[in-house]
Structures are given as C-alpha cells and as structure tokens.
Amino acid sequence: AFFPCTYFSSNNDMIFRGDSAIFRKMSKSDKERYILKRRLKRNHYKIMLYTLIRRCISYKIPLIIENPASQTIKQYLGKPTVSHSRNKYGDYFYKPTYYYCYNCNFDERFMKLQQLYAPERIQHLKGGNRTVKRSMISPEYADNFIKAIFW
C-alpha cells in the first residue's frame, strides 16, 4: 500500500498551525478553509489506513505500507523497518523510507538491484506542487519493490 504521504508528513504540523509558506498570499478565511479541508482529508485517509490495517490483521492478509520517514506517521503505526535511501532501488530521490509490515516480514536487503535502471538523482524540482512531485514513486522503484516481495 503506497499511501498519500503528503497527508502524513511532518509538514502538516506547519500547515495545521498556519505557518506554511503556502499561506503567504491567502486571506485569513481562505487559510482557515484550506486548513479545515486538509484536516478532513487527512482524517479520511487515516480512517482508510486503519481500516485497511485492521482488516488485513483480522483476515491474516500480508500487508506492507511504504511511506517516507516521518515522525508523524510513526506515531500512528509504530516501529517501522527503515530504508535509508530508496534511490539505490530505482527511485528518483534520496529519501529515507519507512515500511510497516503486518502478517509478514520485509527486509530491504532482499530487494534486487535492477541493472536495467539507472535512476537519475533529481536534486531540485521546478514549478507545480513540489511536495506532491517529490512524494511520487518512480515506476522503477515500484517494480523493484513488487519483485522483492513476490519473486
């Protein structure tokens, strides 16, 4: 399960306090509406996440949840398995990642390095929503991840 990490990241704490740079040009009422809408979306995703986890545990379905390293998600899901760099497994970015395992085990060392892929390391993003772009996983990383689990 690759959950929308932008809703579980530590940056949300700044948004919920109203301290984020995205509010520079917003009126107070627009800012409050944005924060409320984001809180509601985050609550929706938390309910979906907990429902998924509970059902997988109840029906003994193996589940691995991947999300960038963040103290915020860690407080909800407990102790993760940590990968220090997804870049060496085909992702475009160097970023620590947490894996939460239920009814199974996952060890990053079992991920096969795909020689077909030579991921370019992107340092800077321009234009658009950089947080969302940075949170997207590359097809190569997803392929490596799936192969590590199923093959």
Side-chain angles (χ1 to χ4, degrees):
F2 296 96
F3 254 80
C5 61
T6 54
Y7 288 92
F8 295 105
S9 71
S10 303
N11 290 339
N12 277 292
D13 299 336
M14 286 191 318
I15 291 172
F16 295 148
R17 281 193 315 264
D19 293 340
S20 178
I22 62 173
F23 298 128
R24 280 185 298 225
K25 297 179 182 177
M26 282 189 192
S27 69
K28 187 173 182 168
S29 61
D30 286 343
K31 181 173 149 179
E32 289 171 1
R33 268 194 295 279
Y34 182 90
I35 291 170
L36 177 60
K37 185 177 176 182
R38 184 142 184 124
R39 278 193 183 278
L40 292 172
K41 269 189 169 179
R42 182 179 182 180
N43 286 340
H44 171 73
Y45 285 128
K46 278 182 11 187
I47 289 167
M48 286 176 49
L49 178 61
Y50 291 145
T51 302
L52 174 66
I53 291 168
R54 293 301 333 143
R55 291 215 172 133
C56 286
I57 289 171
S58 297
Y59 294 106
K60 296 181 175 32
I61 299 169
L63 173 66
I64 298 173
I65 296 171
E66 176 274 348
N67 222 291
S70 160
Q71 291 305 311
T72 303
I73 191 133
K74 193 174 175 183
Q75 74 186 15
Y76 299 127
L77 301 181
K79 187 176 184 208
T81 299
V82 180
S83 169
H84 296 285
S85 174
R86 290 184 357 184
N87 187 259
K88 63 185 172 184
Y89 299 108
D91 200 26
Y92 301 130
F93 297 99
Y94 170 86
K95 55 185 167 187
T97 301
Y98 287 164
Y99 300 97
Y100 298 90
C101 303
Y102 302 90
N103 298 323
C104 63
N105 291 315
F106 174 73
D107 189 330
E108 178 188 33
R109 291 175 293 179
F110 296 127
M111 287 184 73
K112 299 164 189 70
L113 292 173
Q114 296 296 315
Q115 299 304 319
L116 302 171
Y117 308 128
E120 96 180 53
R121 197 167 164 181
I122 299 173
Q123 297 293 336
H124 303 286
L125 289 170
K126 296 177 183 166
N129 189 335
R130 291 187 304 269
T131 304
V132 171
K133 285 180 182 178
R134 184 169 159 69
S135 73
M136 299 303 236
I137 61 169
S138 71
E140 295 85 1
Y141 177 78
D143 188 46
N144 279 335
F145 184 85
I146 291 166
K147 285 178 181 176
I149 302 303
F150 296 111
W151 279 277

